[in-house]
Amino acid sequence: MQKNHLTRALTFFFSLTFLFVTQTYAQQKSVTLSGLVKDKATKENLPYVNVVLKAAKDSTFITGTVTNEEGRFSLNSIPPENYILETAYLGYTPQYTPLYVGNLSEFLDIAHIELTPLSTTLTDVVVTVRQDDLSAKLDKKTFSIADNISQAGGSVLQSMQNLPGITVQEGKVQLRGNDKVTVLIDGKQTAMTGFGSQTGLDNIPASAIDKIEIINNPSAKYDANGNAGIINIIMKKEKQEGFNGKIGFTGGLGSLWQRRSNLPGIRPQYQFTPKLNPSLSFNYRKNKINVFFQADNLYNQSLNKNEFVTRTYDDGSIIQQQTKRNRNTNYLTAKAGLDWYLNARNTLTVSTMFGSEKIIDRGDEPFFNADLSQRKRLWQFLEDELKTTVMATAVYQHKFKQPGHVVNAGINYTFHRENEQYFFDNIMPTYTGKDAFKLLSDEHVADLNLDYIKPLAYGRLEGGFKFRYRTIPTNMLFIPGRNSPLDTNAGGWAKYTETIPTVYGNYIFENPKIEAEIGLRIEYVGLQYDVNPGHNTYKSDGYHYTQPFPNLRFAYKFDEHNRLSFFYNRRVDRPNEVDIRIFPKYDDAEIIKVGNPALRPQFTNSLELGYKNGSHDGYVYAALYHRMALGTITRIASTVPGSELIYAIFQNAGKSYNTGIEAIWDQKIAKAYRFNLNATVYRNQIDAFTVSNLYPVPNSFTAAQQEIISGNVKLNNMFQLGKNLKAQLTAVYWAPDIIPQGKMYARFSIDMGIQQQIQKGKGSIFINASDLLNTMVSKKRIYGNGFQYLSTDYYETQVFRIGYNYKF
């Protein structure tokens, strides 16, 4: 019955999207057209040849130039269209070459145009050109942070949750219901957002960001990890002549109302939490030097967690608990660097990025019996954590004489330190114990890469290699108190070492009707995780593999407004260091998270059929997709005999499938109103699996097959209320979904914002509110062997902000 419902839902939804005539995604506005003119008989280059570009439909003059001393020419700012290229030189027969300028390549090379002396007849040569606009390929969507006024002044994670195609669940970004997303900053993996698994997005200031790219079907030039896709965060950087920049300040308040009262006898929840976000960016460009700098600071008090859990065991016992976490965070990011234009063909860019995240958590976790008449335990903690990130990058670019023919060589080094201290009060009915642990983890990552691009008459070639060396030594010191519940034998040291050499190649082709792209990335991964011999459960482990990761795209263009594309990708999600970290974490005293050194990569094959139809006033986009994952990575919760403690440990849970349709309808209704409706409907299936948790003692868990039809809907309303006044209203709904041991319940929120341009467009002020109706609650149910629990988290979601920005 569910399968019939799925078929009907997908058929109806896919058919519905084809009813609307709308606009294509923002495409490359223009390309650079280049070539070399030769004498056909002597093969000598011909200088000072007249080159004229005319419209094919009516021979209207578009632009023109002459070849230089080497016989080369270049025509800039050519929009996609059909043209005739006229090449004329005294003593030679003029040549008329039909040209097609497409949407996929920013640079196009006509190769050699050979002119014949007047005594020779020359037949026309058909040359096809293409332009690199990835959004035209249906694999990438680009959104400006400045346009998302309902989340301005918050974190990157908050700014993402209103973007089409993105949902946020439990502090992680999801694409099409999947959180296996690789997050890049300026096209690079960094410790700020995680190498492979995403992290830290809720603390990075959105004021530092220019735009966000969503890449559902990455090509071979991208790292192979992230089966759901890639999110590329592009930071602000100006290149205008002279001195210019931007300053801004945002203030806000959250947790204005208490949504659920504390359990008895614990410290109050945070209320009226302040948010402060000053920002500054500038650049100075003169002659061969462009210097840039930006700094953003996000200070945030928040009710980071307010989770109520009811645990029910098969023997009839029930435990009521609350995990309340009052958090103070200060996140400073700064980026500086310079572009040095050595000459017209060589550029050196050096930059550095610094991030400092200071976290203070004050947590309370009481444990009661079923009717709250007896408190069994109170676990209070203070977390003092400092995360420091430093990244240094150098990139050298050489441009060949042919426009768009470039080679880029770069080196990137990242250092990330995690210095974490926890201090616990274990308050029992008859005594109080004081415990602590200290964690120090240093991450060193060095990347060396080389990328080569060669424009062709019908597309381009891309290729390159990358070498990564990454090491993370970690030390955990447990300091037990009276009757300590800490597992002191699970501490000590561990060292994570990763080596990844990679090569890739891409070929892209386009003519007026067909687009094709085929690529292959080959990665070798060697991972070793060394564990101190005294650990009571885990031993040193590791793995290595050499695997191909192909990608394929084929598109048929019905006309300039309609395009159908097919994609195939193979990708991988490698366990990150925190996923295999051997040390138990006690921010929850009775649902304890532990890593697993035996965790292995998750490989995914993806198929997608995408359609786009557009006009001047809007666009419709629809994609039917299927993903199959082998070795699905997830946490598995289990208990051990004689204990009510639950241990949540990362495991490979076998096969899982995600099949669905995503659609976006963007339409301008009038000058004053435009909307963007994004919906995803999918079927999630997790096959039956059995795993063995080794910590703290071996035990197994078996789950039957699960499946569900789920999805989400997001409606963005944009209003132009006057020449300089605009507003945004966003509504988001998440349907219930399954997780390997249970289900997530539905959620709903509304965000709004209004922005006024002032000071002749140089300044702006805004007011916004996230989760305006205070309806966003995270609720899930987990089933384990011998227990189940229901979790409802009333963490802070409603925030009101006001801000000001000024450009100079």
Side-chain angles (χ1 to χ4, degrees):
M1 182 64 70
Q2 272 192 326
K3 292 184 178 180
N4 291 335
H5 288 321
L6 172 66
T7 302
R8 291 171 185 168
L10 292 181
T11 301
F12 171 75
F13 202 69
F14 192 75
S15 300
L16 181 64
T17 61
F18 280 80
L19 297 178
F20 303 104
V21 178
T22 51
Q23 171 186 335
T24 60
Y25 284 111
Q27 297 184 0
Q28 193 76 28
K29 299 298 183 184
S30 62
V31 301
T32 296
L33 190 64
S34 65
L36 181 65
V37 181
K38 289 177 172 286
D39 183 301
K40 185 174 184 180
T42 66
K43 305 301 181 183
E44 293 180 353
N45 297 351
L46 294 177
Y48 312 118
V49 177
N50 291 313
V51 180
V52 176
L53 189 69
K54 296 180 179 180
K57 57 184 178 181
D58 55 12
S59 295
T60 303
F61 174 83
I62 303 297
T63 187
T65 187
V66 296
T67 60
N68 62 15
E69 293 84 351
E70 298 177 344
R72 296 185 179 276
F73 70 88
S74 178
L75 298 172
N76 301 317
S77 303
I78 310 301
E81 189 56 82
N82 287 293
Y83 298 99
I84 298 293
L85 186 70
E86 179 183 329
T87 313
Y89 194 50
L90 184 64
Y92 290 81
T93 302
Q95 180 168 316
Y96 301 91
T97 306
L99 294 177
Y100 170 69
V101 176
N103 293 295
L104 300 184
S105 290
E106 187 178 355
F107 296 92
L108 295 159
D109 180 51
I110 303 177
H112 297 167
I113 297 177
E114 295 183 340
L115 296 185
T116 303
L118 286 174
S119 59
T120 305
T121 301
L122 178 67
T123 57
D124 288 346
V125 178
V126 177
V127 180
T128 303
V129 198
R130 55 163 286 172
Q131 169 183 3
D132 187 62
D133 185 293
L134 296 180
S135 58
K137 298 194 304 183
L138 308 188
D139 72 335
K140 178 170 71 175
K141 300 179 281 288
T142 303
F143 303 97
S144 170
I145 291 295
D147 295 334
N148 190 14
I149 58 177
S150 64
Q151 288 291 347
S155 68
V156 170
L157 184 70
Q158 292 162 344
S159 69
M160 285 184 183
Q161 63 189 14
N162 285 346
L163 300 183
I166 291 181
T167 55
V168 176
Q169 179 172 296
E170 295 188 323
K172 285 195 171 185
V173 171
Q174 293 187 335
L175 294 176
R176 298 171 177 173
N178 190 322
D179 65 3
K180 300 302 181 184
V181 177
T182 295
V183 181
L184 311 178
I185 293 182
D186 292 334
K188 303 178 183 66
Q189 291 183 328
T190 76
M192 286 185 177
T193 54
F195 287 90
S197 62
Q198 53 177 297
T199 183
L201 295 176
D202 201 25
N203 294 318
I204 299 175
S207 57
I209 308 305
D210 178 27
K211 55 188 176 181
I212 292 175
E213 296 176 338
I214 303 172
I215 307 170
N216 292 113
N217 295 283
S219 70
K221 69 180 180 181
Y222 292 98
D223 287 347
N225 51 303
N227 77 71
I230 291 173
I231 293 178
N232 185 23
I233 299 171
I234 300 175
M235 302 190 74
K236 294 175 180 176
K237 179 182 176 182
E238 298 287 347
K239 290 187 177 182
Q240 301 178 44
E241 288 288 339
F243 181 79
N244 53 85
K246 185 176 181 179
I247 59 172
F249 183 82
T250 301
L253 286 175
S255 295
L256 302 185
W257 293 274
Q258 189 177 98
R259 295 197 281 179
R260 181 168 174 177
S261 300
N262 285 339
L263 295 182
I266 68 172
R267 295 171 292 187
Q269 302 172 20
Y270 263 179
Q271 283 191 267
F272 298 97
T273 52
K275 328 285 180 184
L276 301 173
N277 176 210
S279 62
L280 168 67
S281 63
F282 68 82
N283 82 285
Y284 177 74
R285 180 173 183 178
K286 187 175 181 180
N287 299 326
K288 295 184 176 182
I289 298 295
N290 180 65
V291 179
F292 53 90
F293 172 82
Q294 72 177 68
D296 299 79
N297 192 82
L298 182 62
Y299 174 77
N300 187 20
Q301 288 188 15
S302 67
L303 183 59
N304 176 261
K305 194 176 188 69
N306 193 25
E307 181 183 25
F308 293 80
V309 175
T310 300
R311 286 186 273 149
T312 303
Y313 294 85
D314 289 357
D315 63 4
S317 63
I318 296 175
I319 296 177
Q320 302 274 12
Q321 73 176 73
Q322 177 190 359
T323 304
K324 183 218 69 189
R325 194 156 59 211
N326 293 332
R327 172 167 288 186
N328 290 21
T329 304
N330 194 85
Y331 201 120
L332 170 67
T333 61
K335 182 178 181 180
L338 67 86
D339 303 308
W340 182 14
Y341 305 95
L342 304 171
N343 52 45
R345 293 181 186 165
N346 297 278
T347 304
L348 177 65
T349 298
V350 293
S351 64
T352 183
M353 184 183 296
F354 173 79
S356 176
E357 181 182 5
K358 179 67 173 178
I359 299 174
I360 299 292
D361 278 344
R362 294 174 176 85
D364 294 78
E365 198 170 39
F367 301 89
F368 284 84
N369 60 356
D371 62 3
L372 303 180
S373 61
Q374 179 186 0
R375 191 179 78 187
K376 299 183 175 183
R377 180 186 187 187
L378 174 60
W379 183 253
Q380 292 184 324
F381 62 84
L382 169 67
E383 178 189 9
D384 185 347
E385 182 176 10
L386 178 63
K387 295 181 180 179
T388 305
T389 304
V390 179
M391 186 172 72
T393 302
V395 178
Y396 169 75
Q397 182 182 78
H398 173 71
K399 298 179 181 179
F400 296 89
K401 292 180 180 181
Q402 175 192 3
H405 186 191
V406 299
V407 61
N408 296 299
I411 185 168
N412 187 74
Y413 171 74
T414 299
F415 170 76
H416 178 74
R417 168 166 287 184
E418 182 182 348
N419 190 349
E420 184 177 0
Q421 301 179 80
Y422 268 88
F423 303 93
F424 305 104
D425 288 340
N426 184 28
I427 303 171
M428 304 295 287
T430 58
Y431 70 89
T432 296
K434 292 187 177 294
D435 304 271
F437 75 70
K438 296 183 179 181
L439 173 73
L440 183 65
S441 175
D442 286 346
E443 183 172 10
H444 305 267
V445 187
D447 287 332
L448 177 67
N449 59 277
L450 181 72
D451 299 285
Y452 174 80
I453 302 173
K454 168 69 173 176
L456 304 172
Y458 298 88
R460 71 180 183 276
L461 287 172
E462 300 174 335
F465 79 87
K466 180 177 180 179
F467 179 82
R468 167 173 293 167
Y469 180 75
R470 182 175 176 222
T471 181
I472 310 174
T474 305
N475 284 278
M476 169 70 83
L477 174 64
F478 286 112
I479 307 172
R482 182 182 179 189
N483 298 326
S484 176
L486 304 185
D487 185 357
T488 57
N489 292 324
W493 62 265
K495 186 177 181 180
Y496 175 103
T497 305
E498 180 184 74
T499 304
I500 308 178
T502 303
V503 294
Y504 78 91
N506 263 348
Y507 172 65
I508 299 124
F509 168 85
E510 181 184 21
N511 67 27
K513 287 295 184 182
I514 300 297
E515 296 173 2
E517 177 178 344
I518 184 168
L520 177 65
R521 189 177 188 92
I522 299 177
E523 289 189 350
Y524 168 81
V525 174
L527 187 143
Q528 180 63 34
Y529 192 66
D530 294 316
V531 175
N532 80 86
H535 195 278
N536 55 8
T537 300
Y538 292 125
K539 306 300 179 185
S540 297
D541 207 337
Y543 62 85
H544 65 89
Y545 64 79
T546 301
Q547 290 280 340
F549 297 96
N551 74 279
L552 172 68
R553 185 182 72 85
F554 179 84
Y556 181 77
K557 296 176 284 186
F558 299 96
D559 52 43
E560 62 178 330
H561 299 301
N562 295 274
R563 180 189 308 261
L564 187 69
S565 292
F566 171 78
F567 300 88
Y568 167 73
N569 281 87
R570 183 173 189 263
R571 298 185 66 76
V572 64
D573 288 280
R574 297 184 293 270
N576 204 11
E577 188 268 340
V578 295
D579 301 336
I580 64 179
R581 187 177 286 180
I582 59 175
F583 314 119
K585 191 172 183 180
Y586 291 97
D587 53 351
D588 189 315
E590 298 193 2
I591 304 178
I592 300 167
K593 299 181 179 66
V594 189
N596 176 12
L599 201 61
R600 293 297 183 260
Q602 166 184 310
F603 293 93
T604 303
N605 289 282
S606 301
L607 298 171
E608 179 172 327
L609 184 66
Y611 170 77
K612 181 169 63 175
N613 176 289
S615 69
H616 177 69
D617 291 328
Y619 65 81
V620 78
Y621 164 78
L624 183 66
Y625 66 90
H626 174 74
R627 287 194 300 252
M628 180 185 73
L630 302 175
T632 305
I633 296 175
T634 187
R635 284 194 187 272
I636 299 298
S638 63
T639 57
V640 297
S643 173
E644 292 180 335
L645 299 182
I646 296 173
Y647 297 92
I649 300 174
F650 275 112
Q651 293 283 1
N652 294 107
K655 292 183 180 180
S656 61
Y657 307 86
N658 183 288
T659 304
I661 181 169
E662 178 188 24
I664 301 175
W665 179 22
D666 185 285
Q667 187 69 49
K668 180 180 180 181
I669 302 300
K671 185 177 180 180
Y673 175 64
R674 186 182 196 99
F675 73 83
N676 182 291
L677 178 63
N678 170 221
T680 305
V681 178
Y682 56 83
R683 176 180 178 269
N684 257 348
Q685 176 182 321
I686 303 173
D687 282 356
F689 64 90
T690 298
V691 297
S692 294
N693 283 350
L694 298 182
Y695 186 87
V697 295
N699 63 94
S700 62
F701 173 81
T702 298
Q705 177 178 305
Q706 299 182 79
E707 60 181 66
I708 193 173
I709 296 176
S710 185
N712 53 78
V713 179
K714 186 177 300 183
L715 176 62
N716 262 311
N717 301 277
M718 286 73 75
F719 304 90
Q720 190 68 46
L721 305 177
K723 181 179 180 181
N724 297 313
L725 181 64
K726 60 182 180 179
Q728 181 181 7
L729 180 67
T730 303
V732 188
Y733 171 77
W734 295 265
D737 204 351
I738 56 173
I739 51 181
Q741 277 187 276
K743 66 178 293 185
M744 294 289 301
Y745 290 81
R747 293 155 292 148
F748 173 75
S749 74
I750 293 178
D751 302 333
M752 67 165 293
I754 188 167
Q755 183 183 71
Q756 173 73 55
Q757 297 289 330
I758 58 176
Q759 298 169 304
K760 298 181 179 180
K762 290 189 174 183
S764 66
I765 57 174
F766 65 86
I767 300 173
N768 61 33
S770 60
D771 194 16
L772 183 65
L773 303 180
N774 223 9
T775 54
M776 185 70 168
V777 176
S778 180
K779 185 177 181 180
K780 62 184 177 182
R781 185 177 293 276
I782 299 295
Y783 298 93
N785 290 338
F787 74 94
Q788 63 172 281
Y789 71 81
L790 177 67
S791 161
T792 308
D793 192 353
Y794 298 90
Y795 66 100
E796 178 185 295
T797 57
Q798 186 183 65
V799 178
F800 294 86
R801 296 184 181 89
I802 183 170
Y804 169 77
N805 293 299
Y806 179 77
K807 295 180 180 179
F808 58 87

